[in-house]
């Protein structure tokens, strides 16, 4: 039985690998990225924590000042909250939407290479007033997951940056 399943999956695996499909894996930042500085409105926000972890996992070198960094990620807006999606007949919330909003730019060697980008992720969750503690914990878990997803999106954007142009040569002309 197992052998039949394996043989049935073999063509699917062959097609997937033949078309160039591969798992996402960890981001590999290009060498031109150099050291990275994160300019954040709140160093302890869920996004800030997750972004530092993502940079660490990718092997990036972070600095403590923008002047020391080759690449600067400037986060202008780092905001999270929740909105009511549905209410019961008694006008009590039964479903919420958690959102996480991020607005950022990227500078490399003093030049803006990523224009202001706005990212917003949302997740819905049901709410039961008799389970307030559990639902509060669920909301926190969802908020951290949104921050992790946003950090991965920013890291993938850094990964896709084009190579930096070579510095202009100044010297005697022939």
């Amino acid at each position: 039985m197992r052998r039949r399943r394996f043989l049935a999956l073999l063509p699917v695996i062959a097609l997937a690998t033949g078309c160039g499909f591969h798992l996402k894996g960890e981001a590999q930042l290009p060498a031109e990225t150099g050291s990275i500085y994160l300019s954040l409105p709140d160093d302890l926000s869920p996004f800030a924590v997750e972004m530092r972890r993502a940079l660490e996992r990718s092997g990036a070198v972070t600095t403590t000042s923008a002047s020391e960094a080759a690449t600067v990620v400037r986060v202008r807006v780092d905001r999270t909250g929740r909105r009511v999606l549905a209410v019961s007949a008694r006008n009590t919330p039964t479903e919420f939407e958690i959102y996480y909003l991020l607005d950022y730019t990227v500078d490399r060697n003093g030049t803006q290479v990523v224009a202001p980008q706005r990212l917003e992720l949302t997740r819905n969750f049901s709410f039961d007033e008799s389970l307030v503690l559990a639902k509060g914990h669920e909301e926190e878990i969802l908020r951290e997951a949104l921050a992790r997803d946003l950090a991965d999106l920013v890291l993938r954007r850094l990964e896709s940056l084009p190579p930096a142009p070579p510095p202009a040569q100044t010297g005697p002309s022939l």
Side-chain angles (χ1 to χ4, degrees), residues 137-151:
H137 184 65
E138 179 183 359
E139 182 177 348
E140 199 56 41
I141 289 170
L142 289 172
R143 188 169 278 116
E144 288 171 5
L146 290 173
R148 191 174 317 111
D149 291 347
L150 284 170

Side-chain angles (χ1 to χ4, degrees), residues 95-117:
E95 189 175 8
F96 285 101
E97 174 183 71
I98 298 175
Y99 67 90
Y100 208 118
L101 179 67
L102 189 74
D103 191 359
Y104 75 99
T105 64
V106 178
D107 300 342
R108 186 190 286 160
N109 299 324
T111 305
Q112 188 178 67
V113 292
V114 175
Q117 300 246 325

Side-chain angles (χ1 to χ4, degrees), residues 101-164:
L101 179 67
L102 189 74
D103 191 359
Y104 75 99
T105 64
V106 178
D107 300 342
R108 186 190 286 160
N109 299 324
T111 305
Q112 188 178 67
V113 292
V114 175
Q117 300 246 325
R118 176 163 273 195
L119 301 173
E120 183 175 7
L121 297 179
T122 61
R123 298 270 163 74
N124 300 344
F125 78 102
S126 62
F127 182 76
D128 184 351
E129 60 189 28
S130 65
L131 302 170
V132 173
L133 190 58
K135 289 299 180 175
H137 184 65
E138 179 183 359
E139 182 177 348
E140 199 56 41
I141 289 170
L142 289 172
R143 188 169 278 116
E144 288 171 5
L146 290 173
R148 191 174 317 111
D149 291 347
L150 284 170
D152 285 343
L153 287 171
V154 172
L155 196 62
R156 295 289 174 201
R157 183 65 180 104
L158 289 173
E159 183 182 33
S160 70
L161 288 177

Side-chain angles (χ1 to χ4, degrees), residues 36-98:
I36 298 175
Y37 175 73
L38 293 174
S39 172
L40 301 155
D42 180 5
D43 287 333
L44 299 176
S45 72
F47 172 77
V49 170
E50 292 299 335
M51 189 65 195
R52 282 194 190 87
R53 286 180 184 159
L55 287 169
E56 186 177 302
R57 281 192 312 269
S58 72
V61 177
T62 57
T63 64
T64 56
S65 109
S67 61
E68 300 171 3
T71 302
V72 179
V73 178
R74 296 185 195 286
V75 177
R76 298 174 182 195
V77 177
D78 179 356
R79 185 174 47 233
T80 184
R82 70 179 182 177
R83 301 177 191 110
V84 176
L85 287 181
V87 293
S88 70
R90 296 180 319 172
N91 205 25
T92 58
T94 58
E95 189 175 8
F96 285 101
E97 174 183 71
I98 298 175

